[in-house]
């Protein structure tokens, strides 16, 4: 069911949010990553929290999603946020409280209510 839902999102909502992220509008950023099997470049729109070390991502669908697995396999990616490109050179786990704090109010309240707790830091070098 999760795979089906991700497929629906990638063909409906993602094209719109990709355009918004490229334009630097709204809360979205793009994670530009290379497919670990195909070698093809992909752009995945996400809501990321900016922190001094880079960006915090909340893994809504867990660590098995393709964009995350691709970033880990490649050892990095490019984040396009606010119209600027940021090179990511590593990923580390962030504990739940630090992850929630990174998103600030009111997003952290929503994430807490949804019982989200899997966060990763995308180190921007």
């Amino acid at each position: 069911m999760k795979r089906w839902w991700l497929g629906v999102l990638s063909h409906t909502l993602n094209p719109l949010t990709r355009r918004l992220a490229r334009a630097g509008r709204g809360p979205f950023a793009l994670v530009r990553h290379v497919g670990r099997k195909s070698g093809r470049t992909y752009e995945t729109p996400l809501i990321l929290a900016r922190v001094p070390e880079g960006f915090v991502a909340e893994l809504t669908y867990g660590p098995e999603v393709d964009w995350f697995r691709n970033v880990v396999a490649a050892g990095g990616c490019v984040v396009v946020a606010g119209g600027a490109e940021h090179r990511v050179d590593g990923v580390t786990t962030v504990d739940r409280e630090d992850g929630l704090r990174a998103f600030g109010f009111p997003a952290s309240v929503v994430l807490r209510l949804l019982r989200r707790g899997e966060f990763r830091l995308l180190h921007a070098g």
Side-chain angles (χ1 to χ4, degrees):
M1 184 66 158
K2 187 191 307 185
R3 273 252 181 246
W4 174 83
W5 178 245
L6 291 174
V8 169
L9 284 178
S10 72
H11 291 91
T12 56
L13 188 59
N14 283 2
L16 171 64
T17 55
R18 258 194 301 274
R19 283 194 295 274
L20 290 172
R22 268 194 217 103
R25 297 193 178 148
F28 296 99
L30 282 179
V31 174
R32 190 174 296 142
H33 53 97
V34 176
R36 62 195 178 285
K37 295 177 187 172
S38 68
R40 186 175 154 208
T41 299
Y42 295 95
E43 292 182 331
T44 302
L46 300 170
I47 296 175
L48 301 174
R50 186 71 163 117
V51 294
E53 302 87 357
F55 299 89
V56 174
E58 189 275 317
L59 301 182
T60 303
Y61 302 105
E64 296 303 314
V65 291
D66 285 333
W67 76 264
F68 184 71
R69 293 174 66 196
N70 289 342
V71 170
V72 170
C77 64
V78 172
V79 169
V80 181
E85 292 188 0
H86 307 270
R87 182 85 189 121
V88 170
D89 57 14
V91 178
T92 57
T93 300
V94 175
D95 73 56
R96 183 173 191 263
E97 289 307 313
D98 288 342
L100 290 168
R101 204 172 6 266
F103 278 88
F105 181 84
S108 63
V109 174
V110 173
L111 291 169
R112 207 177 283 281
L113 289 171
L114 294 172
R115 298 176 190 236
R116 299 293 183 216
E118 199 148 355
F119 297 91
R120 298 297 187 274
L121 174 64
L122 307 177
H123 294 270

